Amino acid sequence: MVDFRLYNTLTRSVDVFSPADGKTVRMYTCGPTVYNPAHVGNFRTFLFEDLLRRTIRLGGWGVHQVMNLTDVDDKIIKRASERGLTISEVTEPVIETFHVDREFLRIQNAEEYPRATEHLPEMIELVRKLVERGIAYQADDGSVYYAIDRFPGYGKLSRLDTREIKAGARVVQDDYTKENAQDFALWKAAKPEDEKAGAAWDAPWGRGRPGWHLECSAMAMRYLGETMDIHCGGVDLVFPHHEDEIAQSEGATGKPFSRFWCHGEFLLTEGSKMAKRVGNVATVGDLREQGVSPAAFRHFVFSTHYRKQLNLSSEALEGSIEGVRRVGDFSDRLASAKGGTPALAAAADEAEREATNALFDDLNAPLAMGALFTFIRKANAELDRGGDDRAALDRARSVFARINGVLDIVPSLEVGDEASRIEARLAYRRAARERRDFATADAIRMELEAEGIAIEDGPSGTRWKRAR
RNA sequence: GGCGCCGUGGCCAAGUGGUAAGGCGGCAGACUGCAAAUCUGCUAUUCGUCGGUUCGAUUCCGACCGGCGCCUCCA
């Protein structure tokens, strides 16, 4: 088995990875803030994490993945007060939509989806520890802040020199109650609208609500321990979110918070980052309307390395739709094949080796897909040739299943026991064709087409597949 | 202003100090009752531009041009 290598933002290099306990990867993936349905840019990151998760399992390790749902924050409270609702009335439907979209895109279930509002005790305890250690302080406004100059490692992830922020940078609104402009809120004193929206809790420092970064530190440590294997998110979370998580967690425990930090690049539309503030967002619903299947979108996302920006364009999407159709046709062909050749097995061996190596080399999905497509071409050529080598066919099937088990880019559902019913009608049609009764042959073709089954006559017999 | 990433054929895209994977599209051929699929061949003497290092650079270095991102909430 080759080493599994991953780019680590902490070291800025591709390092050999294995879980600390040698068996199960403990992974935290920053999830959505549920005030609005996630857009496909958000889902690019979640797909990168799905790729990571599946590749880890391909390597034979277990995974314990935690994805938080941020269900209390400024935007949620704002929306709730605008509509006279509580925050949970705002977040519940959005969470539901998130899971529907996530499943649509075939993103595997994480082991835990903890919500911030269900972890107040853990968060309060973390703040208490930080105050006790003299790293956090309560300001005149009643809020509790983290004093970044009391944590020597501050800035090690983002490598930002905090003194270098100059003209041209977007300027922070000064909060004069803080000791240092860079200090961030751990606990925000409750305002009337927070109370009204049900977003205020009792704490030793008075009623209030958690700061943005706090939930991730508290919940990550609650479910994964003080040091986890991997912490992921989009590149925009490097600073300040992840930097602040490190400060909070390591400030409290004195132990490394995460061994690896992995970040996915942005999805761009119309030349810039997809973001609600830019107004260039597309949702999973938009994808459906454009006829972009989950398989096609996965193909599109995985066709570019996760650390490279990716442009959402209709041409690229169309290429993915066609590419994935080919993968699906091949999948059906493997299912309906009767045998293979030794060369088929050899092609499968090569594909497995190349795809696996690519994936283990910092999740090089584009290269893995290249290996898959090369395999498809070679395997199709061998299947054209016929052959009755059952073992070779089984080998091809299992390799295809293994690679596709990571990429998951076959459109529509698996074939199942429909196969024998279709085969029976094809046998009847074959008899009709042999007596040159093409009227009957075409009638059967039409029947099957009406059921969504396309058939193709070739030198080695008739194949069938689902129409896509 | 600081920091960083990217620029490969019509489109998407991998890649390496030794001479350009793969997909989509296009063209031609094979196969075929029809159709579709599939296969085969062709489709970048060239990797933003200009210099430098080197026997040799797309790959290393420098400058420049262009695009994007982070330094605020943000996947």
Side-chain angles (χ1 to χ4, degrees):
Chain A
M1 182 69 74
V2 297
D3 285 333
F4 182 31
R5 300 172 352 118
L6 257 186
Y7 182 83
N8 187 352
T9 307
L10 211 47
T11 61
R12 305 282 154 119
S13 61
V14 178
D15 301 334
V16 174
F17 172 84
S18 66
D21 72 359
K23 286 161 66 180
T24 303
V25 178
R26 286 165 302 135
M27 172 164 102
Y28 189 89
T29 46
C30 280
T33 298
V34 287
Y35 74 103
N36 221 343
H39 58 249
V40 293
N42 298 316
F43 277 108
R44 184 194 181 189
T45 297
F46 303 146
L47 280 167
F48 139 62
E49 291 157 355
D50 185 57
L51 177 69
L52 172 58
R53 176 190 174 86
R54 293 182 191 229
T55 302
I56 286 167
R57 297 176 83 181
L58 184 71
W61 292 313
V63 183
H64 193 89
Q65 181 188 356
V66 176
M67 178 177 277
N68 65 297
L69 299 170
T70 300
D71 61 353
V72 52
D73 94 315
D74 293 358
K75 286 177 190 139
I76 294 169
I77 292 166
K78 183 165 177 262
R79 180 138 316 181
S81 15
E82 280 166 6
R83 299 184 183 173
L85 302 171
T86 62
I87 54 170
S88 71
E89 285 168 333
V90 170
T91 59
E92 280 306 325
V94 179
I95 289 172
E96 229 170 273
T97 303
F98 169 69
H99 285 300
V100 168
D101 289 347
R102 182 180 62 75
E103 280 164 20
F104 179 73
L105 293 176
R106 307 178 179 178
I107 294 168
Q108 292 185 342
N109 265 95
E111 278 61 33
E112 323 268 358
Y113 288 99
R115 303 180 187 191
T117 55
E118 292 171 1
H119 296 270
L120 266 298
E122 287 92 335
M123 291 192 259
I124 289 168
E125 174 58 20
L126 182 58
V127 178
R128 201 189 54 71
K129 253 186 220 167
L130 290 167
V131 171
E132 214 173 74
R133 289 189 157 216
I135 302 174
Y137 59 92
Q138 184 162 26
D140 299 340
D141 63 359
S143 296
V144 180
Y145 294 95
Y146 188 101
I148 61 160
D149 59 7
R150 269 169 251 165
F151 180 66
Y154 195 80
K156 69 180 174 183
L157 181 69
S158 58
R159 302 190 183 182
L160 283 176
D161 185 336
T162 53
R163 293 161 305 186
E164 287 294 330
I165 298 168
K166 285 187 183 168
R170 288 173 287 177
V171 178
V172 192
Q173 291 302 314
D174 277 327
D175 190 333
Y176 294 106
T177 66
K178 287 193 280 186
E179 290 175 3
N180 181 323
Q182 303 270 308
D183 290 352
F184 58 91
L186 293 167
W187 188 256
K188 298 180 169 183
K191 293 176 187 160
E193 57 264 38
D194 298 346
E195 293 287 359
K196 223 177 291 170
W201 292 264
D202 284 319
W205 320 278
R207 281 179 73 75
R209 60 187 172 96
W212 175 36
H213 318 297
L214 189 60
E215 62 169 288
C216 286
S217 289
M219 298 194 292
M221 290 197 279
R222 155 83 170 71
Y223 292 98
L224 300 170
E226 292 178 339
T227 300
M228 69 203 65
D229 292 307
I230 306 178
H231 197 124
C232 308
V235 277
D236 52 346
L237 297 186
V238 174
F239 187 88
H241 187 53
H242 287 341
E243 194 71 64
D244 290 349
E245 282 188 50
I246 290 174
Q248 290 170 338
S249 309
E250 301 189 358
T253 68
K255 293 176 188 159
F257 182 45
S258 180
R259 300 170 53 230
F260 274 66
W261 288 84
C262 301
H263 296 95
E265 255 297 349
F266 286 132
L267 181 66
L268 269 37
T269 9
E270 292 157 27
S272 58
K273 167 182 174 176
M274 181 176 286
K276 296 198 182 80
R277 61 195 299 275
V278 185
N280 60 350
V281 298
T283 63
V284 171
D286 295 330
L287 241 40
R288 288 169 134 139
E289 277 174 30
Q290 290 165 44
V292 180
S293 67
F297 189 67
R298 292 179 69 94
H299 173 102
F300 167 71
V301 167
F302 296 152
S303 69
T304 298
H305 187 82
Y306 77 91
R307 282 193 287 114
K308 225 177 138 180
Q309 294 175 345
L310 170 62
N311 254 296
L312 189 70
S313 73
S314 54
E315 298 101 306
L317 245 18
E318 276 160 28
S320 288
I321 290 169
E322 279 310 307
V324 120
R325 182 200 49 70
R326 187 168 152 84
V327 177
D329 283 357
F330 178 69
S331 172
D332 284 348
R333 187 170 188 188
L334 276 182
S336 63
K338 302 291 182 287
T341 59
L344 176 65
D349 290 342
E350 187 187 14
E352 179 173 57
R353 192 179 59 246
E354 288 184 357
T356 306
N357 287 351
L359 257 6
F360 287 177
D361 185 12
D362 195 28
L363 308 176
N364 195 333
L367 188 58
M369 284 210 285
L372 177 65
F373 276 94
T374 299
F375 172 57
I376 289 174
R377 179 168 41 74
K378 288 183 179 172
N380 270 324
E382 289 309 310
L383 291 169
D384 277 352
R385 195 168 274 148
D388 56 5
D389 187 337
R390 266 315 280 213
L393 178 60
D394 287 344
R395 178 74 187 131
R397 284 173 173 165
S398 85
V399 166
F400 178 76
R402 201 165 141 78
I403 299 173
N404 188 245
V406 176
L407 302 174
D408 207 351
I409 53 173
V410 172
S412 80
L413 302 171
E414 285 305 289
V415 172
D417 58 17
E418 217 181 342
S420 56
R421 193 177 52 79
I422 296 167
E423 293 291 350
R425 291 158 80 184
L426 286 183
Y428 188 71
R429 178 170 174 276
R430 190 183 320 123
R433 290 180 74 220
E434 275 164 12
R435 61 176 189 268
R436 306 195 72 76
D437 175 5
F438 295 122
T440 302
D442 284 345
I444 293 170
R445 177 202 291 272
M446 307 266 273
E447 269 172 43
L448 287 168
E449 267 172 14
E451 294 170 30
I453 305 297
I455 59 179
E456 298 168 353
D457 297 322
S460 55
T462 299
R463 301 205 307 267
W464 60 269
K465 66 183 187 188
R466 292 173 176 280
R468 301 178 212 278

